[in-house]
Amino acid sequence: EQANRFLRLGVPRYEAGYGESLRMLQRVDAPGGGRYLFSADIRRSGAKASLQAAVCERWLLYPQNCSAAHLRLGPAGKEWRRYSVLLRPTAPNPAADLLQPPTQLELAAVGAEGRIDIDNVSLVDLRSNAELVRNGAFTRASEGWFFSSDRSHLPWHAKNVVVHTIFEMGWAGLAAACLVLLAAAGTLARRALRGEMPAL
């Protein structure tokens, strides 16, 4: 919009809980026990749309130990407004798991209807005043960001092994997958010819 890129999120149409929201994620170095200031320029269409910001431990799906905040937004309209909220993730138990999952900043539009426009996202570690978000202004499009939806994941599947393999790994990946399948089929065929019925 006038040479300014921003992120637009719509609220879930059939929201039945936390897991249906489409969230934009970015891995950040925000371990538990710290204090982090989240800030963003936001505008919304629809009085019932709101933004949820959180710092959670997450590999890809199913967040845990989240510090979340629903931002109280001003009236809907075309004007951008700056909002800030303090996030305090709980410190992980070092004895519970030697391999702690990474922490991620999560953004999600929630509510009954409408959409949220987001720009100039910032997450500052208040201990060091370090900025933790990369490409918060979305000048490089979605670089550094990824999406996730814990339960409504079926729309992101190709529902076709060949098409999905090409999408994920390209033609070289499809050729490699075919070679693996042929090698497995050859091994099973040899075992079946020797009388091993489970191989057949």
Side-chain angles (χ1 to χ4, degrees):
E1 184 178 81
Q2 298 178 352
N4 177 46
R5 286 182 173 169
F6 57 89
L7 173 67
R8 174 168 289 171
L9 293 175
V11 302
R13 292 188 179 183
Y14 307 105
E15 185 174 15
Y18 177 79
E20 283 74 25
S21 296
L22 178 71
R23 289 179 293 279
M24 291 299 290
L25 314 173
Q26 183 174 135
R27 287 195 175 186
V28 291
D29 185 18
R35 295 167 64 240
Y36 305 95
L37 183 65
F38 170 81
S39 304
D41 295 336
I42 302 170
R43 67 182 180 186
R44 65 176 171 167
S45 67
K48 297 181 180 179
S50 183
L51 179 73
Q52 183 184 58
V55 172
C56 300
E57 293 179 349
R58 172 195 289 268
W59 292 110
L60 180 60
L61 299 178
Y62 311 121
Q64 60 188 15
N65 295 333
C66 292
S67 174
H70 286 273
L71 276 72
R72 297 177 182 235
L73 303 180
K78 296 183 177 180
E79 293 184 15
W80 291 94
R81 291 181 173 86
R82 189 76 176 168
Y83 296 90
S84 298
V85 65
L86 188 65
L87 299 174
R88 296 185 181 201
T90 57
N93 182 359
D97 190 359
L98 295 176
L99 184 61
Q100 295 291 340
T103 51
Q104 298 189 351
L105 172 65
E106 306 187 357
L107 305 177
V110 295
E113 61 182 29
R115 62 178 186 260
I116 302 287
D117 293 340
I118 309 162
D119 203 0
N120 302 316
V121 177
S122 171
L123 186 69
V124 175
D125 185 341
L126 295 179
R127 291 173 294 188
S128 63
N129 287 325
E131 174 61 58
L132 305 179
V133 172
R134 303 172 312 282
N135 190 28
F138 304 100
T139 53
R140 298 186 303 279
S142 60
E143 181 181 313
W145 296 91
F146 194 68
F147 67 89
S148 173
S149 182
D150 295 339
R151 294 182 184 86
S152 295
H153 59 277
L154 292 178
W156 316 110
H157 289 232
K159 309 280 179 63
N160 181 303
V161 173
V162 174
V163 173
H164 200 84
T165 302
I166 293 171
F167 179 80
E168 292 286 345
M169 300 189 294
W171 291 102
L174 179 64
C178 289
L179 288 174
V180 169
L181 290 174
L182 285 173
T187 300
L188 291 172
R190 283 193 302 274
R191 293 174 64 178
L193 290 173
R194 289 196 302 260
E196 296 183 37
M197 296 312 292
L200 182 61

